[in-house]
């Protein structure tokens, strides 16, 4: 008994000691893991960077980009800065001496997500509306850069002239805060498409910068057009119209400034006949300069011109059709013109009893606008197909209307509308009666029929009922090579 009691007394301390050691070991391990966790979590936190990566900064503003976009030349800018440069006609020279091309803009989503990830990794606030430039702030910044560019130019020897020019530029740049304006035309419009590259070349950049120099002619026109006297405004517009007819020098480019255009803007909707007619004619003349076309559309005057199409004086409507045709030659303007609602009034004027020039220019404008898919869809929804077919039947403006119909036949909705309106029988009838007054009309009619032939069984039924095979075999003997190829394919579908 004594021996067992002694053993029991000896075991108690051993158990206590063993538990104490285990508890100590667990606490040590826990402390060890705490240290490791602390070290691992702290190692993930990065120190704040000393500077922002240069590729994250806009070359114009020098700030972290919120909405980066890639322009045609491959450079990346903040969207607001590109919009401001386009509005003011300013193209900066970058640090490496290259000149960007602002003709097209594509969102740079990859760079945008990279910037956001970089901000998250370094626990920085991502760019937001408070820390980045909006359009108006960017516009002020571009104004400052324009002034800086002007100040870096060598001064003229005459002191007084330098001081006068400097103040004039300051006043002009202040007026440029109001947006650009529009242009229109007296002389015959040439059917030439405008290459987008011409807006971003170094020569066009220097030409845009020259527009900020003080121009005595511009000062005189602005003074007259701001006059409270109607007769003085009319005199100023007639003089401006005659001046902008000239093609020898760069007068149109020099006068198409935001200051002059902003003065012309309210005159377009004037209720005085001579003021409205001459102001729209001046815009036509200014729009003949390639560089001016994009400025004019971005100025916000298109809705006013469209109002003139709808309810202006007859001669003003004629000039407005010419202006929209001229502006539609630039591919970048086509979608904007359609979106703002020019298609419906142009279609109305095409079928109206207006002057031949009004109908001719409205037809040319619709043809160029129908080269864009979005405008084709709008024209079909406006019910243009039966209207255009009726115009061809009447024998007026057949060539341009046929070309518009050819463009409309490129989309499924347009083909359906033509088949519903008797287009198959109509075009076969033109070919059968040989009423076409020009050689290319035959090829246009066959092109439309070839597009309609993709209508399956419905086309076959309509074509066979109209005697298509016999008519097409006659055309095959007289047509050119392209016409013959299309005729053979149509006959193959029918047989």
């Amino acid at each position: 008994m004594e021996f067992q009691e002694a053993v029991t007394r000896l075991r108690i301390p051993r158990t206590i000691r063993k538990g104490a050691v285990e508890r100590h070991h667990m606490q040590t391990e826990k402390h060890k893991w705490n240290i490791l966790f602390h070290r691992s979590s702290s190692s993930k936190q990065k120190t704040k960077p000393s500077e922002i990566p240069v590729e994250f900064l806009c070359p114009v503003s020098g700030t972290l980009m919120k909405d980066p976009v890639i322009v045609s030349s491959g450079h990346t800018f903040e969207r607001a800065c590109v919009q401001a440069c386009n509005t003011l006609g300013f193209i900066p020279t970058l640090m490496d001496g290259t000149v960007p091309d602002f003709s097209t803009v594509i969102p740079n989503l990859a760079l945008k997500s990279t910037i956001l990830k970089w901000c998250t990794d370094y626990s920085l606030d991502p760019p937001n509306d408070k820390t980045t430039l909006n359009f108006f702030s960017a516009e002020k910044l571009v104004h400052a850069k324009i002034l800086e560019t002007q100040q870096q130019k060598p001064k003229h020897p005459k002191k007084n002239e330098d001081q006068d020019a400097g103040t004039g530029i300051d006043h002009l740049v202040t007026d440029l805060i109001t947006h650009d304006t529009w242009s229109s035309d007296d002389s015959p419009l040439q059917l030439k498409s405008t290459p987008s590259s011409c807006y971003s070349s170094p020569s066009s950049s220097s030409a845009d910068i020259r527009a900020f120099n003080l121009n005595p002619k511009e000062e005189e026109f602005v003074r007259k057009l701001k006059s409270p006297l109607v007769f003085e405004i009319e005199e100023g517009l007639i003089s401006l119209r005659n001046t902008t007819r000239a093609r020898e020098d760069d007068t149109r480019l020099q006068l198409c400034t935001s200051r002059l255009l902003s003065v012309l803007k309210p005159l377009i909707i004037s209720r005085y006949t001579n003021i409205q007619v001459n102001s729209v004619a001046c815009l036509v003349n200014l729009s003949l300069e390639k560089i001016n076309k994009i400025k004019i559309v971005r100025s916000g005057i298109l809705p006013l011109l469209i109002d003139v199409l709808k309810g202006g004086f007859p001669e003003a409507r004629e000039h407005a059709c010419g202006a929209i045709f001229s502006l539609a030659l630039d591919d970048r303007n086509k979608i904007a013109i359609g979106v703002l609602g020019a298609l419906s009034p142009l279609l109305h004027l095409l079928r109206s009893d207006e002057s031949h020039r009004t109908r001719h220019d409205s037809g040319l404008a619709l043809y160029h606008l129908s080269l864009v898919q979005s405008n084709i869809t709008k024209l079909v929804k406006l019910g243009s197909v039966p209207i255009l077919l009726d115009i061809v039947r009447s024998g007026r403006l057949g060539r341009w209307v046929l070309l518009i119909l050819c463009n409309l036949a490129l989309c499924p909705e347009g083909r359906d509308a033509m088949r519903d309106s008797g287009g198959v029988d109509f075009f076969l009838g033109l070919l059968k009666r040989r009423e076409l007054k020009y050689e290319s009309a035959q090829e246009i009619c066959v092109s439309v029929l070839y597009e309609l032939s993709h209508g399956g069984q419905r086309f076959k039924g309509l074509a066979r009922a109209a005697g298509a095979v016999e008519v097409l075999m006659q055309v095959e003997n007289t047509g050119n090579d392209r016409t013959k190829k299309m005729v053979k394919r149509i006959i193959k579908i029918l047989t």
Side-chain angles (χ1 to χ4, degrees):
M1 292 290 294
E2 292 179 0
F3 175 76
Q4 289 178 352
E5 291 176 2
V7 171
T8 304
R9 285 196 297 270
L10 287 172
R11 285 177 179 172
I12 292 171
R14 286 179 63 189
T15 306
I16 294 172
R17 284 198 301 271
K18 185 177 179 182
V21 170
E22 289 177 353
R23 285 196 300 274
H24 175 71
H25 178 69
M26 291 175 63
Q27 290 175 357
T28 305
E29 288 295 323
K30 185 177 179 182
H31 181 64
K32 179 181 176 181
W33 282 107
N34 284 340
I35 292 173
L36 290 174
F37 179 76
H38 176 71
R39 286 178 180 173
S40 63
S41 62
S42 62
S43 64
K44 290 183 181 178
Q45 294 179 353
K46 298 181 180 180
T47 57
K48 289 191 177 181
S50 57
E51 59 182 16
I52 301 173
V54 67
E55 60 269 20
F56 294 173
L57 302 176
C58 173
V60 174
S61 65
T63 58
L64 188 65
M65 290 184 281
K66 175 194 173 189
D67 188 8
V69 293
I70 303 174
V71 298
S72 299
S73 55
H75 301 92
T76 297
F77 296 85
E78 178 66 41
R79 185 186 294 273
C81 292
V82 175
Q83 292 171 343
C85 288
N86 277 330
T87 299
L88 299 178
F90 177 70
I91 302 179
T93 301
L94 303 182
M95 296 295 291
D96 58 359
T98 59
V99 177
D101 180 359
F102 291 146
S103 58
T104 57
V105 171
I106 301 173
N108 193 339
L109 300 178
L111 181 60
K112 185 176 182 178
S113 61
T114 303
I115 292 173
L116 293 175
K117 185 178 182 304
W118 179 81
C119 292
T120 303
D121 289 346
Y122 288 101
S123 302
L124 299 173
D125 292 331
N128 52 57
D129 294 336
K130 294 182 179 179
T131 58
T132 54
L133 292 174
N134 56 26
F135 172 75
F136 299 104
S137 302
E139 197 175 35
K140 291 179 181 179
L141 177 66
V142 173
H143 286 158
K145 288 188 176 292
I146 293 170
L147 282 175
E148 183 181 348
T149 303
Q150 295 295 327
Q151 290 169 358
Q152 289 174 355
K153 290 185 176 181
K155 294 184 177 180
H156 300 290
K158 293 184 180 180
K159 214 170 190 181
N160 293 335
E161 289 179 3
D162 288 339
Q163 291 172 353
D164 292 341
T167 21
I169 291 169
D170 291 342
H171 180 57
L172 177 56
V173 171
T174 303
D175 286 343
L176 284 172
I177 296 175
T178 57
H179 284 177
D180 296 4
T181 305
W182 262 89
S183 353
S184 126
D185 161 357
D186 258 354
S187 21
L189 296 168
Q190 309 228 342
L191 193 59
K192 293 181 181 178
S193 60
T194 304
S196 60
S197 59
C198 69
Y199 292 91
S200 57
S201 62
S203 60
S204 67
S205 175
S206 59
D208 284 339
I209 292 174
R210 284 200 304 272
F212 292 95
N213 290 325
L214 186 64
N215 188 335
K217 287 183 180 179
E218 179 193 354
E219 290 292 323
E220 180 64 18
F221 286 133
V222 169
R223 185 189 65 79
K224 287 185 176 181
L225 299 184
K226 282 187 173 181
S227 171
L229 302 174
V230 174
F231 78 89
E232 193 167 0
I233 296 174
E234 291 178 346
E235 288 176 357
L237 287 171
I238 292 171
S239 177
L240 178 61
R241 183 175 176 178
N242 292 330
T243 302
T244 52
R245 277 198 183 106
R247 297 187 178 188
E248 296 77 19
D249 52 18
D250 57 352
T251 302
R252 292 170 183 158
L253 180 61
Q254 291 178 353
L255 291 177
C256 191
T257 63
S258 294
R259 188 182 183 194
L260 181 66
L261 294 171
S262 63
V263 176
L264 277 174
K265 199 170 183 178
L267 303 181
I268 296 172
I269 52 176
S270 171
R271 301 318 301 160
Y272 289 96
T273 306
N274 289 337
I275 291 179
Q276 187 182 88
V277 168
N278 287 301
S279 61
V280 179
C282 290
L283 291 174
V284 175
N285 292 341
L286 291 172
S287 73
L288 294 178
E289 186 69 42
K290 292 179 180 179
I291 300 175
N292 293 345
K293 293 181 190 293
I294 195 72
K295 285 184 182 179
I296 290 168
V297 170
R298 287 174 175 164
S299 68
I301 284 191
L302 263 176
L304 300 179
L305 275 182
I306 293 169
D307 285 343
V308 174
L309 290 178
K310 294 176 179 178
F313 298 105
E315 191 177 351
R317 290 199 296 269
E318 179 180 297
H319 292 310
C321 288
I324 292 178
F325 160 48
S326 176
L327 296 172
L329 293 177
D330 190 325
D331 291 340
R332 294 172 292 174
N333 293 339
K334 289 179 170 64
I335 294 177
I337 294 172
V339 167
L340 291 171
L343 299 175
S344 180
L346 284 172
L347 189 63
H348 173 72
L349 291 172
L350 181 64
R351 64 176 297 191
S352 68
D353 295 327
E354 298 277 339
S355 67
H356 174 76
R357 183 174 175 182
T358 299
R359 290 183 281 110
H360 180 264
D361 286 350
S362 61
L364 289 175
L366 285 170
Y367 165 70
H368 284 279
L369 293 171
S370 65
L371 295 173
V372 178
Q373 178 62 43
S374 61
N375 290 336
I376 291 177
T377 304
K378 288 183 176 67
L379 282 169
V380 173
K381 290 181 178 179
L382 286 171
S384 63
V385 171
I387 295 173
L388 296 173
L389 292 174
D390 287 340
I391 293 174
V392 177
R393 288 190 185 98
S394 69
R396 298 185 303 174
L397 298 172
R399 182 180 181 184
W400 294 113
V401 176
L402 283 175
L403 285 171
I404 298 169
L405 286 166
C406 192
N407 288 340
L408 297 182
L410 295 175
C411 76
E413 299 89 347
R415 292 193 289 270
D416 290 339
M418 285 188 202
R419 287 189 284 262
D420 292 341
S421 304
V424 175
D425 183 66
F426 172 78
F427 286 106
L428 286 170
L430 289 179
L431 293 171
K432 183 178 181 179
R433 293 189 297 272
R434 299 182 181 181
E435 296 176 351
L436 305 171
K437 299 178 182 178
Y438 37 88
E439 186 178 349
S440 60
Q442 185 185 67
E443 184 179 350
I444 296 171
C445 289
V446 174
S447 298
V448 176
L449 286 170
Y450 176 70
E451 293 297 333
L452 295 177
S453 68
H454 300 305
Q457 294 298 324
R458 187 180 179 199
F459 171 77
K460 289 181 181 180
L462 294 171
R464 286 169 181 167
V469 176
E470 294 80 4
V471 175
L472 293 172
M473 289 179 70
Q474 292 177 2
V475 173
E476 189 178 6
N477 297 326
T478 59
N480 57 33
D481 292 340
R482 289 190 301 272
T483 303
K484 289 178 180 179
K485 287 181 181 178
M486 288 186 287
V487 166
K488 288 179 180 178
R489 291 174 182 172
I490 299 172
I491 293 175
K492 186 177 179 180
I493 291 172
L494 293 175
T495 56

